[in-house]
Structures are given as structure tokens and as C-alpha cells.
Amino acid sequence: MTVPLTVQSPFAPPAPLASSTVFLDLLAREAAPAEFEEPVLSARAAGAPPETLAQLEAAKLTALRVSADLRRQAGREAELTALFDLAGDLAALRDLDAILETVVRRARRLLNADVAYVTLNDDESGETRMRMTDGSISAAFRRLRVPLGDGLGGLVAQTAMPYSTDHYAADPQFRHRAFIDAAVAEEALVAILGVPMRLGSRVVGVLYAANRSQRPFAPEKAVLLGSLAAHAALAVDNARLLERTRTALAEQEEVNGRIRARCAAIERAAQAHDRMTALVVRGGDAGDVAAVVTEVLGGALHVLDADGRCLAVSGDQVPLAEDEISAAMAVAGSVHTRGGTTRHGDLWVTPIATPGEVLGALVLRTEAELGDADRRILERAALVTALLLLLRCSAAEAEARVQGELLDDLLDGRVEGSAALEARMRRAGLDADASYVMLSARYTSPRHRGRAAFWAAAHAAAAHGLAAARGEEVVLLLPGDAPGETARRVAKELGAALAAPVTVGAAGPIRDLTGVHAAHKEARRCADTLLALDRLDDGADARELGFVGLLIGTHRDARGFLDSTLGPVLDYDTRRGTSLVRTLETYFSSRCGLSKTAERLHVHINTVHQRLHRVSRLLGEDWQEPERALEIQLALRLHRLRG
């Protein structure tokens, strides 16, 4: 709408105040530049004098200049407001990508550009690479990595000065690279303005505005984009500082966590060490040490001796497999000189060793990873276990010396009075009222002497008996009344410990320890007989050797041999008045022929058959087997010689 204008008569004097008022009204309502022509045209149409027209023209030009200044000031005010808003937005952001996204979006809108984007310098690689775009459609453009000094952005980053080009492809002021030009062409960019993002004298990146037509950017647009770049540089630096701070805090927290875990592990290890040390003072054993270890570390701990036998286990009661034991002992043997813990699958193996000998191994089964402090716990447990084993060996050796001295005196016949003997028996842990068996064990090689003596001492101590090593023989006096059975058991167990055949002769049972000397001689003769018969890795007493036992036995118990061989038949003849013994003698002398036996006895063959059937019921169906038959014939001969 146009404000009415009163035009003076051509002959009236000029009215500068009225003309100024018209243009002031136009300025007040922010009229378009075309509206400022209407007062001049109206005056000219009304026939205003030249002086008036000149005044109106001058007022119009002044008003247009003022209007342009006002529009520029309004635009500048809008830009400043936008910059303030951007600063506020950036201050609230902490993520680098979010900051860059906000900057390029504002830059594109404020400069009315087709595309806005930002690249950041990478000092390590010597490149400036694309980090964020707004309005871009080319994937290759969004992935650009430009060496410093190449392309428009490389030039801006290297010189730290803004640069604008009206036609990128034809501009020779910067170094073109084929891959850069291809990406710019794919994005169809023509006019590009780039300004540096600076922190002091250091350029951290470049902010761009670009058009897809040949629309150059005015200088004030470069200033505006430079202001945006300054805000962006500060925000980027703050984000990076914050990220580094967060990273440092995270690393510090991680370090603190490791320190706390390390301190807790050290404290746990110290407590475990104190508990294991207390076990030595209280006289604990390997099982107590294993219980402490599994309580602290979890899993299952097996304590193995030097031969791979399990001394104690804590935790899971599933035994170790043979191959696991072999592997563990091999590992323990290979690392005992340098110490330490070695992992073998899900087993952690620590040798139980002295400087010159492997006493065994601790084998912990667990899937968990053991840290240094946990390994120290296992190694301290091995040290404490070694100490306990050595203490036990020392105690066993001292006890063995006391017991060995008593057995040596008994074997050599140096027997004191009954009161003194009973006192020594009590000190050695023997029961004066029990019966004992004497064993003479022989091994095949002198190199087994030490281990055989140790095994015998430990076995005798566990059984409340006595043991002594004498030359190539181990002598044991053990509670019991079955010498043959005990001999076979000892032969098997000692042979397994030595991994070599062991032969054991036995005598007894002994009711009075004054008979140890004679029993030992019989046991030795029995062992000699077994060796002569090549019955290695076996044990027996004189009675079990049959007529051979009769020859080697101390008491030459003929009646005992008769009773054990023919006793039921002799008793039957005595009770019934029969002639089974005579029938047997005739049967064997007739070469086991029934007809000849009947003829010699003057009886019917059926009678012989019935008598032999009775013998089978009394002696067992196997009495005609060669070995039994020989024993029976010898018993018949002895019976006849005894009258």
C-alpha cells in the first residue's frame, strides 16, 4: 500500500520537510526499494519544479542507502544471533560428531549453500580427512582423505588462510589430484569456500561451504564462515580434551582397579601364607595345606608324592588320570631346579622339592587363570608341603631308629628281661599281647636298598610293627596271624613301590618276641626256597610250601604236615575202624590201578571204588592231581615211618 503524497503546485516553493517525511515513513515500515521511486514519480507527474524533483531524488538516494544499511545491519544481527545460538548449542554438546554435525548444518543454512562440510587434520598420517557433511550425496566425497597441501582444502589447511573459488575444476591456484577432482565432480560442486579452523597458530581442520552452480561467495560470507570455524575449532578442541580426559579417567580407573585387585590378591596371599605357616607349627599335614589352597583359589588340589601316588586331595574328589599324573610328574621334574608354577591344560603344576630332590608335586585343576599372586600361593603351599614331608620323614627316621634298634636286638638274640622288653615295646608302639608274623623280603638290585628301607619303615610304622634293613634284605615284624597271606601282600605292595619283583618269606605267628630270632631264620630259609624255586614276586610261609616247608621249617612239624595233608582220612579210620589209609597206599603202589588194588587187598573192585569215593569226599575231588598226589604219598610214607 502506498502512502498518499501531497504535491505542491508547480509554482509553490519546495517542501523538503514533506519529502523527507515520506521517505522516513518508507524507511519506518521497511518498504521495498521499488517503493522509494513512487514519491519522485508522483511529483514529476504533478509538474513539480526541477528543484523539488532534485530534492526528492537526493532524499530517495539517501533513504535507499539508509535502507540498505539497515538491511545489512539486520542481516549482521541475525548472523550474530545465529553465532551466539551456535555457541550455546556447542557448549552443551560433548560428542565430537554431534558438534561437527551442528556446525555444518548451521553453516549451510547461514550461507544458503548447497553443501557444507568439515575436514579435520590428522598429524600422524599427514592428511586432512572428511569428518562430517550436510547436503552431500556422494559416498566417495564423504570418504575423502586429502594429503596436506593437495586440493583446495589442503591449501587452506597448509596456509591457514581462507580461500574461495568460483569454479573449482578450472582454478589453477591449488594442486589438483585426480581422486579429489573425481569426488568433487561426483558431488557436482562448482563454487567452494574454505576457511581454516585454527587454535592459535595451529590448524585443526577446514570448514567449507559449496554451491553446485557458479555462485561465488561474497567476502562477508567468508567472514561469517570464519566465525563459524572459530567456534567449531574451540568446540572440537574442547571435545577432544574432554575425550582425552575421559580416556585418561577410564585408564586411571582401570589402573586403580588393577591396583585394587593386586592389593586384594596380595592380601589374600599373605593370609594364605600365614595360615599355611601356622599349619607347620600346629603339626598339620598335606591335606590341611591343600584345604587352605582350594579355599583361596578354588578348584581341586591333588598332592602327589615322588612316585605319583596321591597323598591328599581337596576340592573335587575326581582322581587324576594316569596320563595326567605322568604329565604332572614330568613337568615337576623339569621345572624343580628353577621353581615356579607351570600350566598344563587345565592343570597347574608346582613341584614339591628340595634343592637336590623332587619330593612330589601339587596339581591344581582349575579353568581359571592364575595371576602372579595366586601362583605365589601355590608355590608357598609347595614349600610348606615339602617342609611337612621332611619333618614327617625326620620323625619317621627317628622312630625307625628306635624301632630298628629293638628289632636288631631281637634278631640277634639280645633279649633283655621281660619288664625291660615290654617297656621298649611300648616305646616302639607294639602290643605285648598281640601275635606277630616275621617277614624276610628280598629285592633284585642293590639300588633299591634305600627306597625299600624307607617303604618298610613307613609300612611298619603304619601297621604298628617293626622294620630293619640288613644287607640285601628287609626284615619286617608285623601284627597278624596269617604269615603266608601277609607275605604275599607285602611282596605285591613293595614290588609296586620299587617297580621290581620282590620275594618274601614268612614265619609265625609269634606269640613271644623272644622267638623272633628263630622265626627270622625260618623266614630267611623260606625266602631262599622261593628264590631257588624261581617264585619271584611271590610270598609264602613254610606250611604253604608243603613237604619243602617240612624240610626248611624250624620245628620240623611232621605231625602238622600229616594233619594238613591226611588228617581227615586218619581221623575217619580212627573213628570208623576203616582202612582208607591202607587202601590209598595200595592204590598208589599199584600205579593207581583199581583192579590191581582190589587184587592186592583181596576185595571186590566195587569196594575199592567206594573207598576212593570216600577219600574224595574227605580230601576233595582234586586229591589225585599230581601236586596233591605227591603231597599225599609223602604224607603216607611219613605216616608209615612214624609207625
Side-chain angles (χ1 to χ4, degrees):
M1 177 179 179
T2 327
V3 178
L5 181 63
T6 304
V7 182
Q8 294 180 339
S9 164
F11 304 103
L17 182 59
S19 63
S20 299
T21 301
V22 171
F23 288 113
L24 287 175
D25 289 340
L26 292 173
L27 289 172
R29 62 184 183 84
E30 300 179 357
E35 295 184 55
F36 285 83
E37 295 290 340
E38 187 175 350
V40 178
L41 295 175
S42 298
R44 185 177 288 114
E51 294 83 1
T52 300
L53 293 175
Q55 290 178 357
L56 288 174
E57 190 68 32
K60 180 194 73 171
L61 294 176
T62 302
L64 287 174
R65 286 195 300 271
V66 171
S67 177
D69 289 341
L70 289 176
R71 283 196 299 273
R72 282 194 297 272
Q73 291 297 331
R76 184 61 178 164
E77 182 179 354
E79 291 172 355
L80 290 176
T81 301
L83 288 175
F84 286 136
D85 292 342
L86 176 64
D89 292 343
L90 295 180
L93 297 175
R94 297 292 182 267
D95 181 68
L96 179 60
D97 288 341
I99 290 172
L100 296 178
E101 183 180 3
T102 300
V103 169
V104 296
R105 189 171 60 248
R106 293 290 180 88
R108 182 186 178 198
R109 186 170 68 248
L110 288 176
L111 273 71
N112 193 27
D114 295 329
V115 181
Y117 53 98
V118 63
T119 60
L120 295 182
N121 292 353
D122 187 344
D123 296 332
E124 293 183 1
S125 63
E127 295 177 326
T128 179
R129 63 191 185 94
M130 191 75 68
R131 279 301 305 269
M132 191 65 64
T133 65
D134 186 61
S136 172
I137 58 175
S138 169
F141 185 77
R142 291 195 295 270
R143 291 195 302 266
L144 266 180
R145 298 174 69 93
V146 180
L148 292 176
D150 290 348
L152 185 149
L155 176 64
V156 174
Q158 189 177 46
T159 62
M161 296 294 293
Y163 187 82
S164 177
T165 179
D166 298 342
H167 199 290
Y168 175 88
D171 195 331
Q173 298 300 318
F174 47 83
R175 188 185 310 160
H176 288 265
R177 295 286 294 272
F179 73 95
I180 303 175
D181 292 349
V184 173
E186 185 175 327
E187 193 65 59
L189 300 182
V190 178
I192 302 177
L193 168 64
V195 295
M197 297 166 56
R198 296 194 302 179
L199 290 173
S201 60
R202 184 168 62 92
V203 176
V204 297
V206 179
L207 179 61
Y208 304 83
N211 291 319
R212 293 190 173 93
S213 60
Q214 198 167 344
R215 289 189 294 131
F217 291 95
E220 60 267 19
K221 298 299 183 180
V223 174
L224 175 60
L225 193 62
S227 298
L228 289 173
H231 284 291
L234 289 175
V236 167
D237 188 54
N238 288 337
R240 286 177 169 174
L241 288 175
L242 181 59
E243 183 62 27
R244 285 196 291 269
T245 302
R246 287 174 176 170
T247 302
L249 289 175
E251 292 175 352
Q252 184 64 38
E253 181 61 28
E254 183 180 353
V255 171
N256 290 339
R258 288 199 298 267
I259 292 175
R260 287 193 296 270
R262 177 71 175 171
C263 291
I266 293 174
E267 179 65 22
R268 187 172 67 251
Q271 293 177 357
H273 296 170
D274 292 342
R275 292 174 60 185
M276 286 187 286
T277 304
L279 288 177
V280 178
V281 178
R282 295 200 307 268
D285 57 16
D288 297 325
V289 176
V292 172
V293 173
T294 54
E295 182 180 338
V296 176
L297 301 181
L301 184 68
H302 298 260
V303 184
L304 306 181
D305 66 7
D307 296 319
R309 291 188 297 266
C310 186
L311 300 178
V313 62
S314 178
D316 187 1
Q317 298 298 315
V318 176
L320 294 173
E322 289 295 333
D323 58 336
E324 291 177 325
I325 293 175
S326 300
M329 296 309 299
V331 170
S334 64
V335 303
H336 86 279
T337 54
R338 66 177 185 272
T341 299
T342 302
R343 186 169 192 174
H344 182 77
D346 63 345
L347 303 180
W348 295 84
V349 182
T350 303
I352 304 171
T354 63
E357 182 182 7
V358 177
L359 303 178
L362 296 184
V363 183
L364 178 67
R365 186 192 297 278
T366 178
E367 296 180 356
E369 183 70 28
L370 297 186
D372 291 340
D374 294 336
R375 296 187 188 191
R376 298 294 87 78
I377 292 175
L378 203 56
E379 291 160 12
R380 178 62 63 89
L383 181 61
V384 172
T385 304
L387 179 59
L388 291 176
L389 292 179
L390 291 175
L391 290 175
R392 189 180 71 175
C393 289
S394 298
E397 289 175 359
E399 184 178 357
R401 282 195 298 272
V402 174
Q403 296 175 348
E405 291 173 359
L406 173 58
L407 183 56
D408 284 337
D409 290 344
L410 293 173
L411 292 174
D412 294 338
R414 298 190 299 268
V415 181
E416 305 169 359
S418 59
L421 178 59
E422 289 182 4
R424 294 183 66 183
M425 290 176 63
R426 283 194 299 272
R427 287 197 298 271
L430 301 183
D431 183 0
D433 298 327
S435 59
Y436 292 86
V437 295
M438 173 59 64
L439 303 177
S440 174
R442 310 290 180 84
Y443 41 86
T444 57
S445 174
R447 63 187 177 87
H448 296 315
R449 182 180 297 118
R451 182 170 292 186
F454 177 79
W455 183 92
H459 187 79
H464 302 290
L466 301 177
R470 298 168 72 89
E472 302 301 323
E473 172 194 27
V474 172
V475 182
L476 294 100
L477 182 68
L478 302 177
D481 53 10
E485 179 182 342
T486 306
R488 285 185 289 276
R489 176 169 49 81
V490 169
K492 179 180 179 181
E493 294 178 2
L494 180 54
L498 301 181
V502 173
T503 304
V504 181
I510 306 169
R511 304 294 179 182
D512 184 355
L513 292 189
T514 57
V516 166
H517 177 70
H520 177 230
K521 289 183 177 181
E522 181 176 333
R524 283 178 58 85
R525 286 196 299 270
C526 188
D528 291 337
T529 303
L530 290 173
L531 291 173
L533 296 172
D534 287 332
R535 288 177 60 178
L536 303 180
D537 201 14
D538 196 3
D541 61 12
R543 292 185 182 87
E544 293 175 334
L545 293 177
F547 70 94
V548 178
L550 178 64
L551 296 176
I552 65 173
T554 301
H555 301 293
R556 307 292 195 272
D557 187 6
R559 184 64 198 177
F561 177 69
L562 283 174
D563 288 343
S564 63
T565 307
L566 280 177
V569 175
L570 294 173
D571 290 343
Y572 191 87
D573 280 351
T574 301
R575 292 196 314 271
R576 302 291 183 91
T578 55
S579 302
L580 295 182
V581 172
R582 183 184 173 196
T583 302
L584 282 174
E585 289 178 337
T586 306
Y587 176 71
F588 284 119
S589 65
S590 301
R591 298 183 180 181
C592 302
L594 294 178
S595 299
K596 194 130 187 171
T597 302
E599 181 181 342
R600 289 186 178 184
L601 292 175
H602 305 290
V603 297
H604 194 273
I605 190 172
N606 288 339
T607 302
V608 175
H609 183 76
Q610 291 173 358
R611 289 178 182 179
L612 295 181
H613 180 69
R614 175 64 62 183
V615 170
S616 297
R617 293 182 60 184
L618 293 172
L619 298 183
E621 296 294 336
D622 62 341
W623 67 273
Q624 296 191 69
E625 295 295 328
E627 185 175 347
R628 285 287 308 276
L630 176 60
E631 295 276 346
I632 291 171
Q633 291 180 65
L634 290 172
L636 291 171
R637 177 67 60 86
L638 180 62
H639 177 63
R640 186 167 62 253
L641 292 175
R642 284 171 56 87

Short mmCIF file of all heavy atoms in Angstrom, two decimals, residues 240-285:
data_model
loop_
_atom_site.label_atom_id
_atom_site.label_comp_id
_atom_site.label_asym_id
_atom_site.label_seq_id
_atom_site.Cartn_x
_atom_site.Cartn_y
_atom_site.Cartn_z
N ARG A 240 37.79 -32.85 22.13
CA ARG A 240 38.96 -33.72 22.17
C ARG A 240 39.59 -33.75 23.56
O ARG A 240 40.00 -34.81 24.05
CB ARG A 240 39.98 -33.27 21.13
CG ARG A 240 39.57 -33.63 19.70
CD ARG A 240 40.58 -33.09 18.70
NE ARG A 240 40.34 -33.65 17.37
CZ ARG A 240 40.99 -33.27 16.28
NH1 ARG A 240 41.92 -32.31 16.35
NH2 ARG A 240 40.73 -33.83 15.11
N LEU A 241 39.67 -32.56 24.16
CA LEU A 241 40.20 -32.53 25.53
C LEU A 241 39.33 -33.35 26.47
O LEU A 241 39.83 -34.09 27.33
CB LEU A 241 40.28 -31.08 26.02
CG LEU A 241 41.38 -30.22 25.40
CD1 LEU A 241 41.26 -28.78 25.90
CD2 LEU A 241 42.76 -30.77 25.75
N LEU A 242 38.00 -33.22 26.30
CA LEU A 242 37.09 -33.98 27.14
C LEU A 242 37.25 -35.48 26.89
O LEU A 242 37.26 -36.28 27.83
CB LEU A 242 35.66 -33.54 26.87
CG LEU A 242 34.57 -34.23 27.71
CD1 LEU A 242 34.80 -33.99 29.19
CD2 LEU A 242 33.18 -33.74 27.30
N GLU A 243 37.40 -35.85 25.60
CA GLU A 243 37.57 -37.26 25.27
C GLU A 243 38.87 -37.81 25.86
O GLU A 243 38.91 -38.91 26.41
CB GLU A 243 37.57 -37.45 23.75
CG GLU A 243 37.66 -38.89 23.30
CD GLU A 243 36.49 -39.73 23.76
OE1 GLU A 243 35.39 -39.15 23.96
OE2 GLU A 243 36.66 -40.95 23.92
N ARG A 244 39.94 -36.97 25.74
CA ARG A 244 41.21 -37.40 26.34
C ARG A 244 41.09 -37.50 27.85
O ARG A 244 41.66 -38.41 28.48
CB ARG A 244 42.33 -36.44 25.94
CG ARG A 244 42.79 -36.61 24.51
CD ARG A 244 44.13 -35.92 24.28
NE ARG A 244 44.01 -34.46 24.34
CZ ARG A 244 43.77 -33.70 23.29
NH1 ARG A 244 43.63 -34.25 22.09
NH2 ARG A 244 43.69 -32.40 23.41
N THR A 245 40.34 -36.56 28.42
CA THR A 245 40.15 -36.61 29.87
C THR A 245 39.38 -37.86 30.26
O THR A 245 39.72 -38.55 31.23
CB THR A 245 39.39 -35.36 30.34
OG1 THR A 245 40.13 -34.20 29.98
CG2 THR A 245 39.20 -35.39 31.85
N ARG A 246 38.31 -38.14 29.48
CA ARG A 246 37.54 -39.36 29.76
C ARG A 246 38.41 -40.61 29.61
O ARG A 246 38.35 -41.53 30.42
CB ARG A 246 36.35 -39.44 28.82
CG ARG A 246 35.23 -38.45 29.14
CD ARG A 246 34.17 -38.51 28.05
NE ARG A 246 33.02 -37.65 28.38
CZ ARG A 246 32.05 -37.36 27.52
NH1 ARG A 246 32.09 -37.85 26.29
NH2 ARG A 246 31.05 -36.58 27.88
N THR A 247 39.21 -40.59 28.51
CA THR A 247 40.10 -41.75 28.31
C THR A 247 41.09 -41.89 29.45
O THR A 247 41.34 -42.99 29.95
CB THR A 247 40.84 -41.60 26.97
OG1 THR A 247 39.89 -41.48 25.91
CG2 THR A 247 41.74 -42.78 26.72
N ALA A 248 41.65 -40.74 29.86
CA ALA A 248 42.61 -40.78 30.97
C ALA A 248 41.94 -41.27 32.25
O ALA A 248 42.52 -42.05 33.01
CB ALA A 248 43.23 -39.40 31.18
N LEU A 249 40.71 -40.77 32.48
CA LEU A 249 39.99 -41.20 33.68
C LEU A 249 39.68 -42.70 33.62
O LEU A 249 39.79 -43.41 34.62
CB LEU A 249 38.70 -40.40 33.84
CG LEU A 249 38.87 -38.94 34.24
CD1 LEU A 249 37.51 -38.23 34.24
CD2 LEU A 249 39.52 -38.82 35.63
N ALA A 250 39.27 -43.15 32.40
CA ALA A 250 38.98 -44.58 32.26
C ALA A 250 40.24 -45.41 32.48
O ALA A 250 40.21 -46.46 33.15
CB ALA A 250 38.39 -44.85 30.87
N GLU A 251 41.36 -44.93 31.89
CA GLU A 251 42.62 -45.65 32.09
C GLU A 251 43.02 -45.63 33.56
O GLU A 251 43.51 -46.63 34.10
CB GLU A 251 43.71 -45.03 31.23
CG GLU A 251 43.51 -45.25 29.73
CD GLU A 251 44.54 -44.51 28.90
OE1 GLU A 251 45.32 -43.72 29.50
OE2 GLU A 251 44.59 -44.72 27.68
N GLN A 252 42.81 -44.46 34.19
CA GLN A 252 43.16 -44.37 35.61
C GLN A 252 42.29 -45.29 36.44
O GLN A 252 42.77 -45.95 37.37
CB GLN A 252 42.98 -42.91 36.09
CG GLN A 252 43.40 -42.68 37.54
CD GLN A 252 44.87 -42.92 37.75
OE1 GLN A 252 45.68 -42.58 36.89
NE2 GLN A 252 45.23 -43.52 38.87
N GLU A 253 41.00 -45.36 36.08
CA GLU A 253 40.10 -46.26 36.80
C GLU A 253 40.51 -47.71 36.59
O GLU A 253 40.47 -48.52 37.52
CB GLU A 253 38.67 -46.04 36.33
CG GLU A 253 37.64 -46.91 37.04
CD GLU A 253 37.58 -46.66 38.53
OE1 GLU A 253 37.90 -45.53 38.97
OE2 GLU A 253 37.20 -47.59 39.28
N GLU A 254 40.92 -48.01 35.34
CA GLU A 254 41.38 -49.36 35.07
C GLU A 254 42.64 -49.68 35.86
O GLU A 254 42.77 -50.77 36.43
CB GLU A 254 41.65 -49.52 33.57
CG GLU A 254 42.06 -50.93 33.17
CD GLU A 254 42.31 -51.06 31.68
OE1 GLU A 254 42.04 -50.07 30.96
OE2 GLU A 254 42.78 -52.12 31.25
N VAL A 255 43.56 -48.71 35.90
CA VAL A 255 44.78 -48.91 36.68
C VAL A 255 44.45 -49.07 38.16
O VAL A 255 44.99 -49.95 38.85
CB VAL A 255 45.76 -47.74 36.46
CG1 VAL A 255 46.92 -47.82 37.43
CG2 VAL A 255 46.26 -47.75 35.02
N ASN A 256 43.53 -48.22 38.64
CA ASN A 256 43.13 -48.33 40.05
C ASN A 256 42.48 -49.68 40.33
O ASN A 256 42.70 -50.28 41.39
CB ASN A 256 42.16 -47.20 40.41
CG ASN A 256 42.82 -45.85 40.44
OD1 ASN A 256 44.05 -45.75 40.60
ND2 ASN A 256 42.05 -44.79 40.30
N GLY A 257 41.67 -50.15 39.34
CA GLY A 257 41.06 -51.47 39.52
C GLY A 257 42.11 -52.56 39.60
O GLY A 257 42.02 -53.48 40.43
N ARG A 258 43.12 -52.45 38.70
CA ARG A 258 44.19 -53.46 38.75
C ARG A 258 44.96 -53.37 40.05
O ARG A 258 45.35 -54.40 40.62
CB ARG A 258 45.13 -53.27 37.56
CG ARG A 258 44.53 -53.68 36.22
CD ARG A 258 45.61 -53.92 35.19
NE ARG A 258 46.37 -52.71 34.92
CZ ARG A 258 46.10 -51.84 33.95
NH1 ARG A 258 45.07 -52.05 33.16
NH2 ARG A 258 46.84 -50.78 33.76
N ILE A 259 45.19 -52.13 40.51
CA ILE A 259 45.91 -51.97 41.78
C ILE A 259 45.10 -52.55 42.93
O ILE A 259 45.63 -53.25 43.80
CB ILE A 259 46.22 -50.48 42.02
CG1 ILE A 259 47.25 -49.98 41.00
CG2 ILE A 259 46.73 -50.27 43.44
CD1 ILE A 259 47.52 -48.50 41.08
N ARG A 260 43.76 -52.28 42.91
CA ARG A 260 42.92 -52.84 43.97
C ARG A 260 42.92 -54.36 43.92
O ARG A 260 43.00 -55.03 44.96
CB ARG A 260 41.49 -52.30 43.84
CG ARG A 260 41.34 -50.85 44.26
CD ARG A 260 39.87 -50.47 44.41
NE ARG A 260 39.17 -50.56 43.14
CZ ARG A 260 39.05 -49.53 42.28
NH1 ARG A 260 39.59 -48.37 42.58
NH2 ARG A 260 38.39 -49.67 41.15
N ALA A 261 42.80 -54.89 42.68
CA ALA A 261 42.82 -56.35 42.55
C ALA A 261 44.16 -56.91 42.99
O ALA A 261 44.23 -57.96 43.65
CB ALA A 261 42.54 -56.74 41.10
N ARG A 262 45.25 -56.21 42.64
CA ARG A 262 46.58 -56.66 43.04
C ARG A 262 46.72 -56.63 44.56
O ARG A 262 47.24 -57.57 45.17
CB ARG A 262 47.62 -55.75 42.40
CG ARG A 262 49.06 -56.07 42.79
CD ARG A 262 49.52 -57.34 42.19
NE ARG A 262 50.93 -57.57 42.46
CZ ARG A 262 51.56 -58.68 42.20
NH1 ARG A 262 50.92 -59.68 41.62
NH2 ARG A 262 52.84 -58.82 42.47
N CYS A 263 46.23 -55.54 45.16
CA CYS A 263 46.31 -55.45 46.63
C CYS A 263 45.49 -56.55 47.29
O CYS A 263 45.92 -57.15 48.28
CB CYS A 263 45.83 -54.07 47.09
SG CYS A 263 46.95 -52.72 46.64
N ALA A 264 44.27 -56.78 46.72
CA ALA A 264 43.44 -57.85 47.29
C ALA A 264 44.12 -59.20 47.13
O ALA A 264 44.08 -60.04 48.05
CB ALA A 264 42.07 -57.85 46.60
N ALA A 265 44.75 -59.42 45.97
CA ALA A 265 45.44 -60.70 45.76
C ALA A 265 46.62 -60.85 46.71
O ALA A 265 46.85 -61.93 47.27
CB ALA A 265 45.92 -60.79 44.31
N ILE A 266 47.35 -59.74 46.91
CA ILE A 266 48.48 -59.80 47.85
C ILE A 266 47.99 -60.05 49.27
O ILE A 266 48.58 -60.85 50.02
CB ILE A 266 49.29 -58.49 47.77
CG1 ILE A 266 49.97 -58.38 46.40
CG2 ILE A 266 50.31 -58.41 48.89
CD1 ILE A 266 50.68 -57.07 46.17
N GLU A 267 46.89 -59.38 49.64
CA GLU A 267 46.34 -59.60 50.97
C GLU A 267 45.86 -61.03 51.13
O GLU A 267 46.09 -61.67 52.16
CB GLU A 267 45.18 -58.62 51.20
CG GLU A 267 44.50 -58.76 52.56
CD GLU A 267 45.41 -58.41 53.71
OE1 GLU A 267 46.39 -57.68 53.50
OE2 GLU A 267 45.13 -58.89 54.84
N ARG A 268 45.20 -61.54 50.08
CA ARG A 268 44.74 -62.93 50.12
C ARG A 268 45.92 -63.89 50.23
O ARG A 268 45.89 -64.86 50.99
CB ARG A 268 43.92 -63.23 48.87
CG ARG A 268 43.25 -64.59 48.89
CD ARG A 268 42.28 -64.77 47.73
NE ARG A 268 42.95 -64.81 46.45
CZ ARG A 268 42.91 -63.86 45.54
NH1 ARG A 268 42.19 -62.77 45.75
NH2 ARG A 268 43.55 -63.97 44.38
N ALA A 269 46.98 -63.59 49.45
CA ALA A 269 48.16 -64.45 49.50
C ALA A 269 48.82 -64.39 50.88
O ALA A 269 49.26 -65.41 51.42
CB ALA A 269 49.15 -64.02 48.42
N ALA A 270 48.89 -63.17 51.46
CA ALA A 270 49.51 -63.04 52.78
C ALA A 270 48.73 -63.84 53.84
O ALA A 270 49.32 -64.52 54.69
CB ALA A 270 49.58 -61.57 53.18
N GLN A 271 47.39 -63.75 53.76
CA GLN A 271 46.59 -64.52 54.71
C GLN A 271 46.78 -66.02 54.52
O GLN A 271 46.90 -66.78 55.49
CB GLN A 271 45.12 -64.15 54.54
CG GLN A 271 44.78 -62.72 54.96
CD GLN A 271 43.33 -62.37 54.70
OE1 GLN A 271 42.57 -63.17 54.16
NE2 GLN A 271 42.94 -61.16 55.08
N ALA A 272 46.83 -66.45 53.24
CA ALA A 272 47.05 -67.87 52.98
C ALA A 272 48.43 -68.31 53.48
O ALA A 272 48.57 -69.39 54.08
CB ALA A 272 46.92 -68.15 51.48
N HIS A 273 49.43 -67.46 53.27
CA HIS A 273 50.78 -67.80 53.75
C HIS A 273 50.79 -67.92 55.27
O HIS A 273 51.41 -68.85 55.83
CB HIS A 273 51.76 -66.73 53.30
CG HIS A 273 51.91 -66.64 51.81
ND1 HIS A 273 52.58 -65.62 51.17
CD2 HIS A 273 51.44 -67.46 50.83
CE1 HIS A 273 52.54 -65.82 49.88
NE2 HIS A 273 51.83 -66.91 49.63
N ASP A 274 50.12 -66.99 55.95
CA ASP A 274 50.07 -67.06 57.41
C ASP A 274 49.39 -68.33 57.88
O ASP A 274 49.84 -68.99 58.83
CB ASP A 274 49.33 -65.84 57.97
CG ASP A 274 50.12 -64.54 57.75
OD1 ASP A 274 51.33 -64.64 57.49
OD2 ASP A 274 49.51 -63.47 57.82
N ARG A 275 48.30 -68.70 57.22
CA ARG A 275 47.57 -69.91 57.63
C ARG A 275 48.41 -71.16 57.39
O ARG A 275 48.44 -72.07 58.23
CB ARG A 275 46.26 -70.01 56.87
CG ARG A 275 45.24 -68.93 57.25
CD ARG A 275 44.02 -69.00 56.36
NE ARG A 275 43.34 -70.29 56.46
CZ ARG A 275 42.30 -70.63 55.71
NH1 ARG A 275 41.85 -69.78 54.79
NH2 ARG A 275 41.72 -71.80 55.86
N MET A 276 49.12 -71.20 56.26
CA MET A 276 49.95 -72.38 55.99
C MET A 276 51.14 -72.45 56.93
O MET A 276 51.55 -73.54 57.34
CB MET A 276 50.39 -72.35 54.53
CG MET A 276 49.27 -72.69 53.55
SD MET A 276 49.81 -72.85 51.83
CE MET A 276 50.08 -71.15 51.40
N THR A 277 51.71 -71.29 57.29
CA THR A 277 52.81 -71.30 58.25
C THR A 277 52.33 -71.79 59.60
O THR A 277 53.04 -72.55 60.29
CB THR A 277 53.40 -69.89 58.37
OG1 THR A 277 53.80 -69.42 57.08
CG2 THR A 277 54.59 -69.88 59.30
N ALA A 278 51.12 -71.39 59.98
CA ALA A 278 50.57 -71.86 61.25
C ALA A 278 50.37 -73.37 61.24
O ALA A 278 50.46 -74.02 62.29
CB ALA A 278 49.24 -71.15 61.54
N LEU A 279 50.09 -73.95 60.07
CA LEU A 279 49.91 -75.40 59.99
C LEU A 279 51.19 -76.13 60.38
O LEU A 279 51.14 -77.19 61.01
CB LEU A 279 49.51 -75.80 58.57
CG LEU A 279 48.09 -75.44 58.13
CD1 LEU A 279 47.88 -75.83 56.67
CD2 LEU A 279 47.06 -76.13 59.01
N VAL A 280 52.33 -75.57 60.00
CA VAL A 280 53.60 -76.21 60.37
C VAL A 280 53.76 -76.22 61.88
O VAL A 280 54.18 -77.23 62.47
CB VAL A 280 54.77 -75.46 59.69
CG1 VAL A 280 56.10 -76.09 60.09
CG2 VAL A 280 54.62 -75.48 58.18
N VAL A 281 53.41 -75.09 62.51
CA VAL A 281 53.54 -75.01 63.97
C VAL A 281 52.58 -75.97 64.65
O VAL A 281 52.93 -76.62 65.65
CB VAL A 281 53.30 -73.56 64.43
CG1 VAL A 281 53.38 -73.45 65.94
CG2 VAL A 281 54.30 -72.63 63.77
N ARG A 282 51.35 -76.09 64.11
CA ARG A 282 50.35 -76.94 64.76
C ARG A 282 50.52 -78.41 64.40
O ARG A 282 49.77 -79.25 64.89
CB ARG A 282 48.95 -76.49 64.35
CG ARG A 282 48.58 -75.10 64.82
CD ARG A 282 47.06 -74.93 64.80
NE ARG A 282 46.51 -75.26 63.50
CZ ARG A 282 46.30 -74.38 62.53
NH1 ARG A 282 46.65 -73.12 62.71
NH2 ARG A 282 45.77 -74.75 61.38
N GLY A 283 51.45 -78.73 63.50
CA GLY A 283 51.65 -80.12 63.13
C GLY A 283 50.64 -80.60 62.10
O GLY A 283 50.24 -81.77 62.12
N GLY A 284 50.21 -79.72 61.18
CA GLY A 284 49.27 -80.13 60.15
C GLY A 284 49.93 -81.04 59.13
O GLY A 284 51.14 -81.31 59.17
N ASP A 285 49.13 -81.50 58.18
CA ASP A 285 49.66 -82.38 57.15
C ASP A 285 49.35 -81.81 55.77
O ASP A 285 48.82 -80.70 55.64
CB ASP A 285 49.08 -83.79 57.29
CG ASP A 285 47.56 -83.81 57.24
OD1 ASP A 285 46.96 -82.81 56.80
OD2 ASP A 285 46.96 -84.82 57.65
#
